[in-house]
């Protein structure tokens, strides 16, 4: 009997999670009576039971067993219950918009009701058959609390504006949630940007990432040091931005660096941070493009004269250094059918139309004309030197003139040839557009660029290899069924000929190492 149970456990799909009851005893008996599994009932998703047993957590197909005991769910009255937790703005604005659109797309009506100040319920109903098909339970928490909920199995999905931190990843793996570093566990559903903000009365209009690092490390304390008034800098920060997976840690403060006690005011709510900056002409904070507020955004600058400002097109293409993908993390267990259908919807082009109507940045693909790139060409000309010649610039111009740049940027994880999370999402998005025939009869050029470190000839070869790697990833996403003659796909490399930012800082070099996609009619 024990051997039979182990065989069954080994063949079961990896789990489930909707309606979660207080742990109660159940006995799952195979219909021929040969196998019996006893334990504490955890959840039921309409198809599979999830039970905690002496052998661990097992997931059992309900069609093959009978359920006995006080913990057994009412199969006749079942509907999927999907719990979602995470970033407050995302759970209050983005998720409700996506859930509503998903419901309407499937012919369901939606009834939203508050459960508490931080929780709400969205019930989806098939009005034609007067049948409740599912309920989404949304909890306004934070990025950190969302991951904690996932580890403790108090949620089924986490909406977060940062990657999972190493400690959270370890706890999740230990708890049986799965490897959250696996790309299958995280979907990019929207984009946002981290933006330095000051009072509207502050005369400072630009800061470098180096300036921000010095301020938050307590090494720069007076506005006069960066062209402002003779006054102390009062720094503010969202507490969650101190987590290791945040863009603030990666791009500004550094991993493992501690903020000196008393030098920065930490906030748990974004409206608290904005209010503090509004009321203090000498305050500085890190805001979000999605949140806004009556504060002044500050551009990012480099020593060589480049400047970057948060704009939707630059967020989409990752030309803005503090771009923040909005992730939807899920556990490595089986979710209800309704949840799986919702997850497929949120990464579709139709969902991005919905995202565009919110305060977040969508991943919909825009086309930027060659003429829109004037500033970039001016920068290229002004920074040309011995290794970047007029002939090199003419090569770029000759190849790209008459084409339009897509707002699909491709960049790689630091020190590797692995595409970052936003770029992996862009690969599938571009593949979907190609399969849909959006670019039939046109030529797509994957143009690789590099930073200016090292010899120009080596950089040119390296940039072409990166372009070829992205092209290969897109072709793999298309599959063998795609008719190759519908569109021309080619890769080329221009090396360091078109810098986006200064090479004197790491964030500038990371921006310059990129692959762009340009589209041009073949007629």
């Amino acid at each position: 009997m024990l051997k039979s149970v182990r065989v069954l456990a080994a063949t079961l799909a990896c789990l489930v999670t909707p309606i979660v009851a207080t742990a109660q005893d159940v006995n799952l008996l195979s219909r021929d009576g040969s196998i019996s599994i006893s334990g504490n009932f955890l959840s039921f998703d309409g198809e599979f039971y999830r039970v905690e047993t002496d052998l661990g957590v097992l997931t059992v197909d309900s069609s093959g067993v009978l359920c006995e005991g006080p913990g057994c769910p009412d199969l006749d009255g079942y509907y999927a219950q999907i719990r979602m937790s995470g970033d407050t703005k995302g759970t209050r604005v983005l998720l409700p918009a996506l859930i509503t659109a998903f419901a309407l797309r499937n012919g369901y009506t939606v009834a939203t009701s508050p459960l508490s100040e931080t929780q709400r319920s969205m019930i989806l109903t098939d009005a034609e058959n007067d049948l409740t098909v599912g309920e989404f339970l949304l909890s306004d928490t934070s990025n950190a609390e969302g991951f904690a909920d996932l580890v403790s199995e108090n949620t089924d999905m986490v909406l977060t504006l940062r990657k999972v931190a190493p400690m959270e990843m370890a706890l999740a793996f230990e708890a049986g949630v799965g490897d959250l570093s696996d790309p299958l566990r995280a979907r990019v559903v929207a984009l946002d940007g981290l933006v330095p903000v000051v009072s509207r009365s502050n005369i400072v209009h630009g800061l470098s990432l180096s300036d921000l690092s010095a301020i938050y490390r307590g090494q720069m304390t007076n506005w006069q040091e960066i062209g402002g008034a003779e006054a102390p800098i009062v720094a503010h920060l969202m507490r969650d931005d101190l987590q290791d997976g945040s863009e603030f840690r990666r791009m500004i403060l550094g991993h493992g660096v501690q903020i000196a006690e008393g030098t920065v005011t930490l906030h748990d709510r974004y409206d608290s941070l904005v209010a503090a900056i509004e009321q203090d002409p000498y305050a500085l904070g890190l805001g979000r493009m999605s949140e806004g507020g009556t504060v002044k955004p500050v551009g990012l600058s480099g020593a060589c004269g480049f400047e970057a400002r948060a704009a939707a097109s630059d967020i989409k293409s990752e030309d803005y250094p503090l771009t923040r993908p909005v992730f939807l993390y899920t556990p490595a267990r089986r979710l209800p059918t309704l949840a799986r259908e919702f997850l497929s919807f949120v990464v579709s082009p139709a969902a991005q139309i919905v995202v565009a109507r919110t305060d977040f940045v969508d991943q919909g693909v825009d086309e930027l004309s060659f003429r829109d790139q004037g500033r970039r060409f001016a920068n290229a000309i002004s920074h040309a030197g011995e290794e970047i010649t007029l002939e090199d610039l003419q090569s770029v111009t000759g190849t790209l003139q008459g084409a339009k740049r897509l707002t699909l940027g491709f960049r790689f994880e630091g020190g590797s040839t692995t595409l970052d999370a936003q770029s992996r999402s862009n690969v599938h998005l571009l593949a979907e557009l190609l399969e849909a025939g959006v670019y039939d009869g046109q030529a797509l050029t994957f143009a690789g660029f590099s930073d200016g470190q090292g010899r120009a000839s080596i950089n040119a070869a390296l940039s072409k290899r990166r372009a070829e790697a992205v092209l290969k990833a897109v072709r793999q996403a298309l599959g063998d069924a795609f008719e190759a003659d519908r569109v021309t796909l080619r890769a080329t490399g221009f090396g360091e000929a078109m810098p986006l930012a200064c090479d004197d800082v790491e964030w500038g070099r990371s921006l310059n190492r990129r692959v762009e996609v340009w589209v041009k009619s073949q007629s």
Side-chain angles (χ1 to χ4, degrees):
M1 172 88 58
L2 185 59
K3 181 179 179 182
S4 298
V5 171
R6 283 176 175 155
V7 171
L8 176 61
T11 57
L12 294 174
C14 207
L15 45 117
V16 131
T17 215
I19 292 184
V20 176
T22 302
Q24 298 185 63
D25 291 339
V26 295
N27 183 50
L28 302 179
L29 185 66
S30 64
R31 295 189 182 276
D32 63 3
S34 64
I35 297 177
S36 177
I37 299 175
S38 297
N40 288 326
F41 171 78
L42 295 178
S43 63
F44 175 66
D45 74 345
E47 298 177 83
F48 287 80
Y49 295 105
R50 189 160 174 258
V51 181
E52 184 178 20
T53 73
D54 292 339
L55 299 174
V57 176
L58 304 181
T59 302
V60 184
D61 189 341
S62 63
S63 65
V65 297
L66 300 173
C67 186
E68 301 172 343
C72 293
D74 178 5
L75 300 188
D76 293 331
Y78 168 81
Y79 58 84
Q81 190 178 59
I82 302 159
R83 301 160 300 163
M84 311 179 85
S85 175
D87 176 73
T88 298
K89 181 65 179 280
T91 53
R92 288 185 178 181
V93 176
L94 182 60
L95 286 179
L98 288 170
I99 292 167
T100 300
F102 167 74
L104 295 176
R105 189 178 181 86
N106 288 279
Y108 304 141
T109 59
V110 182
T112 303
S113 57
L115 302 178
S116 69
E117 186 178 344
T118 60
Q119 292 183 312
R120 69 199 58 80
S121 164
M122 298 183 71
I123 295 179
L124 277 56
T125 304
D126 182 346
E128 185 175 337
N129 298 309
D130 192 26
L131 179 69
T132 299
V133 297
E135 179 182 23
F136 288 85
L137 295 170
L138 308 182
S139 298
D140 310 336
T141 57
S142 66
N143 298 327
E145 291 175 289
F147 281 119
D149 285 342
L150 192 66
V151 169
S152 60
E153 295 208 34
N154 286 322
T155 194
D156 304 311
M157 301 183 192
V158 177
L159 189 83
T160 169
L161 272 69
R162 64 169 172 81
K163 292 180 181 179
V164 59
M167 178 61 73
E168 294 164 336
M169 194 184 308
L171 290 172
F173 190 80
E174 184 179 339
V177 176
D179 181 3
L180 294 185
S181 67
D182 185 339
L184 295 176
R185 303 275 64 81
R187 294 163 174 81
V188 178
V189 297
L191 304 171
D192 202 349
L194 198 62
V195 185
V197 292
V198 297
S199 166
R200 290 186 179 275
S201 62
N202 197 312
I203 62 173
V204 171
H205 295 283
L207 291 167
S208 71
L209 289 183
S210 298
D211 292 336
L212 290 171
S213 178
I215 290 169
Y216 282 100
R217 291 182 180 213
Q219 299 165 349
M220 184 180 291
T221 59
N222 197 292
W223 284 108
Q224 194 173 42
E225 298 177 66
I226 44 177
E230 168 62 46
I233 300 173
V234 183
H236 296 261
L237 185 70
M238 292 293 293
R239 190 182 306 276
D240 203 67
D241 283 331
L242 286 177
Q243 294 291 330
D244 280 343
S246 71
E247 295 305 312
F248 173 75
R249 275 282 184 193
R250 185 173 70 87
M251 298 291 290
I252 298 174
L253 190 64
H255 298 295
V257 178
Q258 301 301 315
I259 288 180
E261 185 175 351
T263 60
V264 177
T265 302
L266 299 177
H267 300 263
D268 293 310
R269 296 180 57 87
Y270 186 77
D271 54 5
S272 168
L273 180 144
V274 169
I277 295 173
E278 288 173 339
Q279 297 166 15
D280 186 348
Y282 303 120
L284 166 73
L286 284 172
R288 300 175 181 172
M289 190 172 176
S290 62
E291 294 278 7
T294 54
V295 288
K296 184 174 78 173
V298 175
L300 295 175
S301 60
C304 65
F306 284 102
E307 183 177 89
R309 289 189 175 272
S313 60
D314 289 342
I315 294 284
K316 290 183 181 186
S317 61
E318 292 188 87
D319 288 356
Y320 182 71
L322 295 179
T323 293
R324 303 181 75 172
V326 181
F327 296 99
L328 197 58
Y329 276 88
T330 57
R333 55 181 164 85
R334 181 186 173 87
L335 295 174
T337 301
L338 186 71
R340 299 197 301 271
E341 292 173 346
F342 176 72
L343 288 171
S344 295
F345 169 73
V346 296
V347 294
S348 69
Q352 294 309 307
I353 296 174
V354 178
V355 174
R357 296 173 184 155
T358 71
D359 295 324
F360 291 87
V361 177
D362 66 285
Q363 298 177 85
V365 181
D366 298 330
E367 295 182 355
L368 306 176
S369 72
F370 185 79
R371 185 176 299 176
D372 293 333
Q373 309 302 304
R375 187 183 68 178
R376 298 174 63 202
F377 279 100
N379 285 334
I381 294 170
S382 63
H383 289 81
E386 292 183 4
E387 293 198 90
I388 298 301
T389 65
L390 176 61
E391 184 178 351
D392 294 324
L393 297 178
Q394 288 174 332
S395 174
V396 177
T397 304
T399 302
L400 302 182
Q401 192 164 15
K404 294 182 178 180
R405 182 192 176 194
L406 304 185
T407 52
L408 282 173
F410 296 93
R411 286 184 168 81
F412 300 83
E413 301 281 7
S416 76
T417 57
T418 302
L419 289 169
D420 65 21
Q422 185 174 334
S423 298
R424 291 194 298 269
S425 178
N426 287 344
V427 165
H428 293 286
L429 184 57
L430 181 56
E432 286 187 5
L433 294 173
L434 288 167
E435 288 175 339
V438 173
Y439 301 114
D440 281 3
Q442 300 187 72
L444 270 64
T445 298
F446 291 76
F449 297 90
S450 73
D451 60 37
Q453 303 294 299
R455 293 175 54 189
S457 58
I458 295 176
N459 287 334
L462 179 59
S463 66
K464 185 174 182 180
R465 285 200 298 272
R466 286 183 176 140
E468 290 169 342
V470 175
L471 175 53
K472 180 180 178 180
V474 171
R475 281 181 170 148
Q476 288 176 338
L478 284 170
D480 296 333
F482 181 73
E483 300 171 8
D485 59 350
R486 288 166 50 185
V487 61
T488 299
L489 304 176
R490 54 178 172 242
T492 188
F494 295 115
E496 57 195 74
M498 287 276 287
L500 285 173
C502 307
D503 271 332
D504 61 337
V505 289
E506 173 51 36
W507 72 266
R509 293 190 292 273
S510 68
L511 282 188
N512 292 334
R513 298 188 294 265
R514 68 198 186 277
V515 175
E516 301 175 356
V517 181
W518 290 72
V519 59
K520 188 175 185 178
S521 174
Q522 296 189 77
S523 57

